[in-house]
Amino acid sequence: MAVVASAPGKVLMTGGYLILERPNTGLVLSTNARFYAIVKPINEEVKPDSWAWQWTDVKLTSPQLSRESMYKLSLKHLTLQCVSSSDSKNPFVEHAIQYAIAAAHLASGKGKEALQKLFLQGLDITILGSNDFYSYRNQIESLGLPLTPESLGTLAPFASITFNAAESNGANCKPEVAKTGLGSSAAMTTAVVAALLHYLGVVDLSDPCKEGNFGCSDLDVIHMVAQTSHCLAQGKVGSGFDVSCAVYGSQRYVRFSPEVLSFAQVEVKGLPLHEVTGRILKGNWDNERTEFSLPPLMNLVLGEPGSGGSSTPSMVGAVKKWQMSDPEKARENWQKLSEANLELETKLNILSKLAKDHWDAYLGVIKSCSELTSEKWVLHATEPNNEAIIKELLGAREAMLRIRTLMREMGEAASVPIEPESQTRLLDSTMNAEGVLLAGVPGAGGFDAIFAITLGDSGSKLTQEWSSHNVLALLVREDPHGVCLESGDPRTTNITSGVSSIRLE
């Protein structure tokens, strides 16, 4: 009876900060780093007299953190009460459980008795994140291994997670998990919501694009419930691009109007949970998404510089403060940045079309350019099709350089390290390497893993160069698939996309 669902991590290529405001766009790539949620009953049978129970058990296990928490779920109010391991509560999973169960109540109709039986058997939930979500530099270095993807590959899947050093003062200070910035909380929340909704019969992950219980596709239901859970767990209504990517996969994204969820933050304490959920599912979700993926023979590569990561909320807060203090300069910066983002998107889309229309020429250009630094690419513009392809490649590089310049200017004005000096040096050397189209700091920037887009087979050379600069290349690659149903426990099966791997249509 176990259900296993997974959802991908993300890399926001363009749209950092701007994506917080409509109608700005962002290009977000989903990855092969996935979070898994396994849902099964705690008890195989329900005792005859248990129908009168008002509470049932929920067990949450995170093997990588060696944590197990037990909750009591009120079947009347749909609220959770932690009865053990209160120091290791997970607000993202807790909200995912509550809102998924509320959606199940709304969708059950004549099937309330079957739903009640599932509840009374208890819910056993296990969460697992791919190693790529977390930093394992310390383990690799302590083992005396080189900083290479091959060393990462020697780690057991779903390895135990280490923590950043805790603060020396304050009894309530907890160490933070060392992460790589792939959106683990959004992927985790989405996987738990999807697994629970499938387990409880609300959605069918084997055919999630069909219209379901609420007059929209099952994917849309998962998206709305996951966005709600994630925003309430964070305590704010963010842009939602990370959850959207976790549900639908790689895409061009425009955020939803915050009002669709802001009422829930105010009213969630006063209204029954199923009423709040009902209003959310009937809300005006005006987010926009268009299918997007990298052009053929281009590869996403991520490198972890070992700087400890950054706090996105505090950086966003500083940028917003700068916008209010100097609105004219902020508007000018954002307008130029929006234009540069659009230029890069246009160049990549043109390259995809050129690949489709002139495949042989495209293949030859990419192969040649993958072995050369960018200033030598023009040497292969020997005939019109080749020249057109190289022109767009160089145009994409120029657009990325403008994006980086404008992001640095924003960071300097707001006094936040969007592209810190150490990252600038690393990115410059990366973009000067053979076969590298572009490189940048994803999302809000800072000290998280950097990304590069490489041509053909040049990625292996780049990872070697990074290793010599103490940068650990991750095993992450672009994978355009969003949430999907898996065939079994990923610890005992091959870790591949499961029964349903639905590309965004």
Side-chain angles (χ1 to χ4, degrees):
M1 289 183 67
V3 166
V4 185
S6 72
K10 53 70 189 171
V11 172
L12 184 65
M13 276 182 58
T14 69
Y17 297 98
L18 273 68
I19 205 170
L20 290 164
E21 296 182 7
R22 291 174 56 83
N24 296 320
T25 64
L27 296 181
V28 54
L29 302 178
S30 53
T31 69
N32 59 351
R34 301 186 76 85
F35 237 97
Y36 298 80
I38 305 166
V39 179
K40 61 184 180 181
I42 295 175
N43 306 301
E44 292 301 324
E45 299 295 332
V46 178
K47 295 178 182 177
D49 60 349
S50 64
W51 297 101
W53 293 353
Q54 294 298 305
W55 298 83
T56 192
D57 295 319
V58 177
K59 177 182 174 184
L60 174 62
T61 307
S62 177
Q64 289 163 286
L65 292 172
S66 302
R67 287 177 177 171
E68 181 180 296
S69 300
M70 289 297 300
Y71 297 85
K72 289 291 184 182
L73 170 68
S74 167
L75 298 180
K76 180 179 180 181
H77 301 291
L78 311 181
T79 53
L80 281 175
Q81 180 180 329
C82 188
V83 294
S84 69
S85 301
S86 58
D87 62 325
S88 60
K89 292 171 71 174
N90 186 325
F92 294 97
V93 175
E94 290 172 11
H95 281 88
I97 293 168
Q98 290 175 281
Y99 279 89
I101 288 173
H105 270 279
L106 290 171
S108 59
K110 296 179 181 178
K112 286 191 183 295
E113 189 170 308
L115 184 65
Q116 187 82 345
K117 182 180 179 183
L118 285 174
F119 288 153
L120 292 175
Q121 287 177 281
L123 296 169
D124 185 336
I125 303 168
T126 301
I127 52 174
L128 298 160
S130 298
N131 289 348
D132 293 301
F133 285 104
Y134 304 103
S135 174
Y136 290 93
R137 284 180 65 105
N138 290 342
Q139 290 94 317
I140 288 173
E141 289 173 339
S142 66
L143 292 169
L145 296 173
L147 288 172
T148 62
E150 290 75 21
S151 297
L152 277 175
T154 65
L155 297 174
F158 312 110
S160 295
I161 297 166
T162 56
F163 294 85
N164 285 325
E167 296 292 331
S168 57
N169 60 338
N172 294 325
C173 286
K174 292 193 296 184
E176 294 241 351
V177 174
K179 297 180 182 180
T180 54
L182 293 177
S184 56
S185 64
M188 174 178 63
T189 302
T190 301
V192 171
V193 165
L196 276 169
L197 291 179
H198 184 91
Y199 178 79
L200 298 172
V202 181
V203 304
D204 180 3
L205 281 173
S206 63
D207 187 15
C209 290
K210 73 175 191 321
E211 184 173 311
N213 286 289
F214 298 100
C216 58
S217 75
D218 285 347
L219 277 181
D220 291 343
V221 173
I222 294 168
H223 176 249
M224 289 184 281
V225 176
Q227 286 284 16
T228 304
S229 305
H230 194 253
C231 286
L232 290 173
Q234 284 187 315
K236 63 183 180 66
V237 181
S239 69
F241 80 88
D242 44 4
V243 171
S244 186
C245 182
V247 175
Y248 302 105
S250 296
Q251 62 191 272
R252 178 188 195 264
Y253 178 78
V254 177
R255 71 159 304 152
F256 54 86
S257 297
E259 293 75 23
V260 76
L261 279 181
S262 55
F263 88 90
Q265 291 182 292
V266 178
E267 299 191 21
V268 70
K269 295 178 182 178
L271 284 176
L273 204 58
H274 67 273
E275 286 189 31
V276 176
T277 306
R279 285 182 61 177
I280 288 165
L281 291 171
K282 293 175 183 174
N284 179 27
W285 288 82
D286 53 359
N287 51 295
E288 301 170 26
R289 61 185 187 277
T290 309
E291 183 174 347
F292 176 84
S293 60
L294 292 174
L297 305 179
M298 293 188 188
N299 302 296
L300 171 70
V301 189
L302 292 175
E304 184 195 347
S307 308
S310 299
S311 170
T312 298
S314 62
M315 294 175 72
V316 169
V319 169
K320 286 185 173 180
K321 186 177 179 181
W322 163 65
Q323 282 182 289
M324 290 186 287
S325 66
D326 195 350
E328 188 175 336
K329 186 175 180 182
R331 274 194 301 272
E332 181 185 352
N333 175 274
W334 278 36
Q335 179 60 38
K336 291 179 179 178
L337 195 47
S338 177
E339 291 168 0
N341 287 339
L342 180 59
E343 179 71 6
L344 177 56
E345 178 187 343
T346 301
K347 296 297 183 187
L348 293 174
N349 286 334
I350 291 173
L351 284 162
S352 292
K353 187 174 189 310
L354 286 169
K356 183 179 179 182
D357 295 343
H358 308 285
W359 175 250
D360 289 341
Y362 181 88
L363 177 63
V365 168
I366 297 298
K367 186 176 187 307
S368 299
C369 293
S370 71
E371 299 169 352
L372 300 169
T373 54
S374 60
E375 71 270 11
K376 297 178 182 176
W377 292 354
V378 291
L379 300 175
H380 291 269
T382 52
E383 55 94 24
N385 287 338
N386 288 23
E387 185 179 0
I389 294 163
I390 290 170
K391 177 186 174 185
E392 301 306 324
L393 289 173
L394 293 173
R397 281 179 64 87
E398 286 303 314
M400 190 68 214
L401 288 170
R402 284 201 301 279
I403 290 168
R404 286 181 52 204
T405 297
L406 291 162
M407 291 286 274
R408 281 197 303 271
E409 290 175 1
M410 187 200 309
E412 289 163 8
S415 300
V416 288
I418 292 177
E419 188 183 293
E421 201 172 312
S422 61
Q423 297 282 58
T424 296
R425 290 193 299 270
L426 175 58
L427 291 170
D428 287 346
S429 67
T430 297
M431 287 191 71
N432 289 329
E434 293 178 0
V436 174
L437 178 65
L438 51 88
V441 286
F447 295 97
D448 284 337
I450 66 165
F451 77 90
I453 305 299
T454 61
L455 305 178
D457 298 325
S458 62
S460 56
K461 285 188 204 171
L462 179 61
T463 60
Q464 291 171 10
E465 183 172 330
W466 275 353
S467 181
S468 69
H469 289 90
N470 205 36
V471 176
L472 175 59
L474 305 181
L475 296 168
V476 177
R477 295 293 181 266
E478 182 198 11
D479 181 340
H481 302 105
V483 69
C484 64
L485 184 67
E486 299 288 339
S487 57
D489 189 325
R491 294 169 293 184
T492 57
T493 59
N494 291 327
I495 304 170
T496 57
S497 294
V499 175
S500 175
S501 295
I502 304 297
R503 279 203 67 165
L504 177 65
E505 298 298 338

